[in-house]
């Protein structure tokens, strides 16, 4: 397919060759065939614990032909002057260090969620990014999906279900078989349901109940409970309420069961919207049930790959425009969600070494 629409290169350095880095880079490759892709995404280098893992990663992601360098020391990737932006795909406890090192080297950063273990760490990253004048964003890719843009229009502009009063959202994955040493369960790696999964229902409650992000977001009140195993939460339940809008969200996440495809129900004065998909991070369908109409309306959102390129393209456009943060996922929103998660953990009794 022709790539004549691509006017600039964005050269990525990928840190970590695990699950999400693989999916993300595969999507960057897919993005090259989309006429809406504003840049050519180049995988310039990858940093990994072993050369062998690096080679396998390049094969799996079909980036071998781009001839990326494989570094076995992250410092070498940060020092590579050909890299524009570092993508951090590491366990949670390693995000802060990787972000600070990349920023100190003058790189832009896209860091997997959560940007850091707590709001205090987020503040350090934001302060250094502001000093070094680089773009930084937490990779909450869900916010960039077309299904979310449509959902927000339906709820906040067209008000198809009237005034929203309540929503339920769950993100649970049965991870009982994982050992306690896995990044999902190990307290020293920032494990736990809230930071790994609960961040998505919190994100959706912001998008559905509020609609404004970051500094413009409305004041909310939080109550919560957790079940804790080996120092990390295996289940969490949060009630987020907006007194000024008379609405509330009941949000849950768990490592001990798996959510049904219909993972989110939004109730309004004129009807109900049900979101479904393989997981709360990736809604693929919106069902509208109007109280005055017997026929449901279903809108499906299918696209190749996972759809990480919507996020990556937006990041590339910000960088080309010289922006230091995204309007869709601004740093104040990362900070706001991080402090809510701090509050929920404080009530639930989950304390990380970084707190
Ligand atoms: N946006 C999304 O949809 C998703 C986001 N995520 C987020 O991505 C990040 C990584 O998650 P995921 O890819 O699932 O994790 P993986 O365990 O699959 O990969 C993490 C990688 O980090 C490196 N690493 C370095 N030290 C360790 C360690 N002690 N334990 C494990 N890995 C280590 C390894 O890469 P190497 O050996 O190459 O150095 C490893 O492959 C997390 O922040 C997670 O929340 C995860 C899944 C989906
Ligand atoms: O989307 C996701 O699904 C599985 C989780 O472990 C992961 O961290 C999360 O982001």
């Amino acid at each position: 397919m022709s790539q004549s629409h691509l006017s600039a290169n964005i050269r990525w350095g990928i840190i970590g060759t695990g699950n999400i880095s693989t999916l993300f880079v595969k999507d960057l490759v897919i993005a090259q065939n989309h006429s809406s892709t504003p840049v050519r995404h180049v995988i310039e280098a990858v940093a990994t614990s072993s050369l062998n893992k690096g080679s396998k990663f390049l094969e799996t992601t079909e980036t071998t032909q781009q001839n990326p360098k494989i570094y076995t020391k992250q410092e070498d990737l940060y020092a590579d002057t050909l890299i524009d932006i570092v993508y951090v795909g590491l366990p949670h406890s390693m995000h802060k260090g990787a972000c600070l090192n990349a920023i100190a080297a003058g790189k832009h950063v896209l860091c997997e969620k959560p940007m850091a273990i707590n709001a205090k760490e987020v503040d350090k990253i934001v302060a250094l990014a502001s000093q070094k004048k680089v773009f930084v964003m937490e990779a909450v890719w869900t916010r960039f999906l077309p299904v979310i843009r449509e959902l927000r229009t339906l709820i906040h502009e067209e008000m198809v279900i009237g005034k929203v009063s309540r929503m339920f959202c769950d993100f649970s994955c049965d991870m009982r078989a994982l050992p306690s040493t896995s990044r999902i369960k190990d307290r020293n790696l920032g494990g736990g349901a809230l930071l790994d999964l609960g961040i998505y229902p919190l994100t959706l409650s912001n998008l559905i109940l509020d609609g404004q992000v970051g500094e413009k977001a409305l004041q909310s009140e939080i109550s919560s409970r957790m079940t804790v195993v080996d120092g990390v939460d295996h289940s969490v339940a949060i009630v987020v309420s907006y007194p000024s809008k008379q609405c509330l969200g009941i949000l849950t996440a768990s490592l001990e069961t798996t959510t049904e495809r219909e993972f989110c129900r939004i109730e309004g004065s004129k009807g109900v919207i049900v979101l479904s998909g393989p997981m709360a991070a990736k809604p693929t369908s919106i069902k509208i049930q109007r109280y005055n109409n017997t026929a449901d309306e279903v809108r499906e959102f299918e696209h190749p790959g996972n759809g990480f390129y919507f996020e990556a393209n937006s990041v590339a456009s910000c960088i080309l425009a010289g922006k230091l943060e995204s309007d869709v996922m601004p740093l104040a929103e990362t900070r706001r969600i991080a402090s809510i998660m701090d509050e929920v953990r404080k009530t639930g009794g989950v304390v990380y070494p970084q707190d």
Side-chain angles (χ1 to χ4, degrees):
M1 186 161 303
S2 159
Q3 297 193 353
S4 56
H5 58 279
L6 305 174
S7 56
N9 286 349
I10 290 283
R11 298 162 302 179
W12 293 84
I14 309 293
I15 307 272
T17 59
N19 171 42
I20 191 64
S21 295
T22 304
L23 297 178
F24 180 76
V25 171
K26 276 185 175 180
D27 266 14
L28 292 190
V29 173
I30 290 174
Q32 303 317 319
N33 293 329
H34 277 244
S35 57
S36 59
T37 301
V39 295
R40 179 161 182 267
H41 294 287
V42 177
I43 308 304
E44 188 66 37
V46 45
T48 174
S49 53
S50 84
L51 276 177
N52 192 27
K53 271 184 96 172
S55 306
K56 283 205 177 116
F57 178 79
L58 300 189
E59 273 167 37
T60 313
T61 54
E62 297 180 16
T63 48
T64 320
Q65 75 287 356
Q66 293 187 11
N67 215 14
K69 286 152 272 186
I70 302 173
Y71 294 121
T72 52
K73 287 191 189 130
Q74 290 178 11
E75 308 86 88
D76 293 339
L77 187 146
Y78 303 132
D80 186 331
T81 53
L82 294 177
I83 289 171
D84 301 308
I85 178 162
V86 170
Y87 172 82
V88 178
L90 296 172
H92 304 158
S93 58
M94 299 170 188
H95 289 187
K96 181 189 117 191
C99 286
L100 291 179
N101 287 333
I103 295 167
K107 307 297 185 204
H108 304 298
V109 173
L110 175 62
C111 177
E112 263 312 324
K113 38 63 55 175
M115 179 179 276
I117 290 287
N118 54 34
K120 191 172 64 176
E121 288 195 343
V122 169
D123 287 342
K124 290 200 172 122
I125 295 167
V126 171
L128 189 63
S130 155
Q131 192 192 323
K132 299 292 280 186
K133 299 198 170 28
V134 294
F135 175 93
V136 176
M137 194 185 96
E138 181 185 24
V140 189
W141 66 301
T142 312
R143 290 184 185 260
F144 297 84
L145 296 173
V147 59
I148 291 298
R149 212 168 37 233
E150 176 82 355
L151 179 70
R152 293 182 75 175
T153 303
L154 288 169
I155 290 179
H156 299 295
E157 290 170 30
E158 297 176 13
M159 298 194 67
V160 290
I161 56 166
K163 184 196 167 304
V164 173
S165 55
R166 191 169 68 154
M167 68 172 278
F168 299 86
C169 185
D170 180 55
F171 190 1
S172 299
C173 292
D174 188 345
M175 311 224 202
R176 283 174 299 171
L178 288 181
S180 56
T181 50
S182 94
R183 72 154 190 89
I184 308 273
K185 292 183 177 170
D186 187 342
R187 175 177 171 268
N188 292 316
L189 295 175
L194 176 64
L195 266 57
D196 198 54
L197 305 173
I199 190 168
Y200 289 105
L202 275 172
T203 295
L204 286 166
S205 73
N206 164 254
L207 295 166
I208 292 164
L209 299 178
D210 185 343
Q212 303 291 326
V213 289
E215 277 155 10
K216 294 185 193 148
L218 293 172
Q219 201 63 40
S220 61
E221 290 171 4
I222 304 288
S223 9
S224 62
R225 284 290 182 273
M226 282 175 153
T227 59
V228 179
V229 179
D230 294 335
V232 300
D233 53 304
H234 278 209
S235 290
V236 57
I238 305 169
V239 176
V240 53
S241 63
Y242 288 92
S244 62
K245 288 188 94 176
Q246 291 283 300
C247 63
L248 54 85
I250 295 128
L251 317 174
T252 51
S254 173
L255 307 179
E256 295 181 346
T257 182
T258 297
T259 317
E260 304 282 308
R261 271 192 76 83
E262 293 192 344
F263 64 84
C264 179
R265 175 184 163 87
I266 308 155
E267 299 167 343
S269 55
K270 293 186 184 162
V272 168
I273 285 180
V274 177
L275 293 182
S276 54
M279 54 185 165
K282 191 186 174 189
T284 53
S285 138
I286 299 174
K287 181 163 74 184
I288 307 165
Q289 301 168 317
R290 293 180 175 87
Y291 294 143
N292 63 0
N293 193 333
T294 44
D296 294 349
E297 187 187 333
V298 179
R299 302 190 189 179
E300 301 285 353
F301 296 78
E302 294 297 340
H303 37 71
N306 271 289
F308 289 104
Y309 39 77
F310 295 111
E311 165 190 67
N313 288 345
S314 179
V315 166
S317 297
C318 286
I319 290 172
L320 291 181
K323 293 171 78 171
L324 299 185
E325 61 181 302
S326 158
D327 297 333
V328 179
M329 184 67 227
L331 294 166
E333 182 64 11
T334 290
R335 175 66 169 73
R336 197 181 70 80
I337 300 266
S339 50
I340 292 176
M341 295 199 294
D342 283 358
E343 186 183 336
V344 169
R345 286 197 296 109
K346 198 169 173 194
T347 307
V350 170
V351 182
Y352 293 113
Q354 295 84 348
D355 287 328

